[in-house]
């Protein structure tokens, strides 16, 4: 079965600083990888996805992620954090079973002024 | 237009009651899901339907019964509610092809008292 591990349940950065949220996956097949953002009392919104094309994927709101097969990682980055980026971020994997997405436990991003 | 809509948004009910949550998607997707998000924000798949057929049932108590009257709807009925059922329930849909993302509803916050 596939799985995702997100290191760091809470990450705190200053406004304008680099954001790095870590995601490692386990998969017996080439994975499809996703990052979602959840704002308080909202559903999940897709930030970006990797589907075996370019390994560096750009998403909405200035976020990007790089697929590294050798490290089984798909870390999310943003060069400069904004207050509005404060939210919960989820990494997800699919591919073994097209009807199932496996989610990580989430990382809460706090942005300090 | 809301892509995946679920009602109600909030549901407060007493132990032992029976309740339903409705979900509709207007994206033309073949696959729909129910996910449960617990108090620690962990997202766990409960059910997946493809073209009205149950594909995944992740060892959910049989007090939970999904029903898909057509491809665009997936409702969740819960019998004999227990305190531990309190959570946020998310409906989602996708094209079910693995390399496409899931679209999520806004969630239903169920509180059992």
């Amino acid at each position: 079965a596939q799985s995702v591990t997100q290191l760091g349940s809470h990450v705190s950065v200053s406004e304008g600083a680099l954001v790095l949220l870590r995601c490692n996956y386990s998969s017996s097949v080439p994975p499809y990888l996703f990052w979602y953002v959840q704002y308080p009392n909202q559903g999940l919104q897709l930030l970006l996805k990797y589907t075996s094309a370019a390994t560096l994927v750009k998403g909405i709101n200035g976020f990007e992620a790089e697929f590294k097969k050798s490290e089984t990682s798909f870390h999310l980055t943003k060069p400069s954090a904004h207050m509005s980026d404060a939210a919960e971020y989820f990494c997800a994997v699919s591919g073994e079973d097209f009807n199932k997405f496996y989610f990580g436990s989430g990382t809460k991003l706090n942005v300090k002024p | 237009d809301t892509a995946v809509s679920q009602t109600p948004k909030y549901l407060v009910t007493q132990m032992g009651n029976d309740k339903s949550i409705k979900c509709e998607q207007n994206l033309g997707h073949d696959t729909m899901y129910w996910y449960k998000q617990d108090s620690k924000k962990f997202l766990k798949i409960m059910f997946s339907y493809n073209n009205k057929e149950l594909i995944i049932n992740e060892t959910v108590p049989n007090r939970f019964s999904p029903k898909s009257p057509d491809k665009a709807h997936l409702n969740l009925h819960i019998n004999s509610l227990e305190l531990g059922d309190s959570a946020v329930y998310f409906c989602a849909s996708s094209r079910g092809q693995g390399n496409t993302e899931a679209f999520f509803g806004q969630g239903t916050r169920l509180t059992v008292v």
Side-chain angles (χ1 to χ4, degrees), chain A residues 32 34 36 38 41-46 49 51 88 90 94-95 97-106, chain B residues 9 31 33 35 37 41-43 45 48 50 55-56 58 90 96-102 104-106 109:
Chain A
Y32 301 116
F34 309 83
Y36 284 86
Q38 183 180 29
N41 298 316
Q42 301 271 324
L44 279 74
Q45 178 185 359
L46 182 73
K49 62 181 180 182
T51 58
E88 191 95 26
F90 293 91
S94 74
D97 182 340
F98 284 178
N99 292 292
K100 191 185 285 190
F101 295 83
Y102 296 89
F103 283 85
S105 52
Chain B
K9 191 171 170 66
T31 303
Y33 313 81
Y35 278 84
Q37 187 174 46
K41 301 289 188 178
F42 184 67
L43 273 159
I45 189 166
S48 172
N50 184 272
I55 302 297
I56 293 169
E58 286 286 299
F90 284 100
Q97 295 170 353
N99 61 349
T100 56
E101 65 272 27
F104 283 79
Q106 293 295 292
R109 182 174 294 276

Side-chain angles (χ1 to χ4, degrees), chain A residues 9 23 30 35 57 60 62 66-67 74 76 78 80 89 92 110 113:
Chain A
S9 58
C23 171
W35 273 101
V57 181
I60 62 171
E66 186 171 9
F67 172 69
F74 190 57
L76 182 71
K78 181 173 180 176
S80 176
Y89 292 79
N110 178 43

Side-chain angles (χ1 to χ4, degrees), chain A residues 31 39 68:
Chain A
Y39 298 102
K68 290 187 177 180

Side-chain angles (χ1 to χ4, degrees), chain A residues 24-37:
Chain A
N24 288 88
Y25 69 89
S26 170
S27 179
S28 62
V29 302
Y32 301 116
L33 294 156
F34 309 83
W35 273 101
Y36 284 86
V37 61

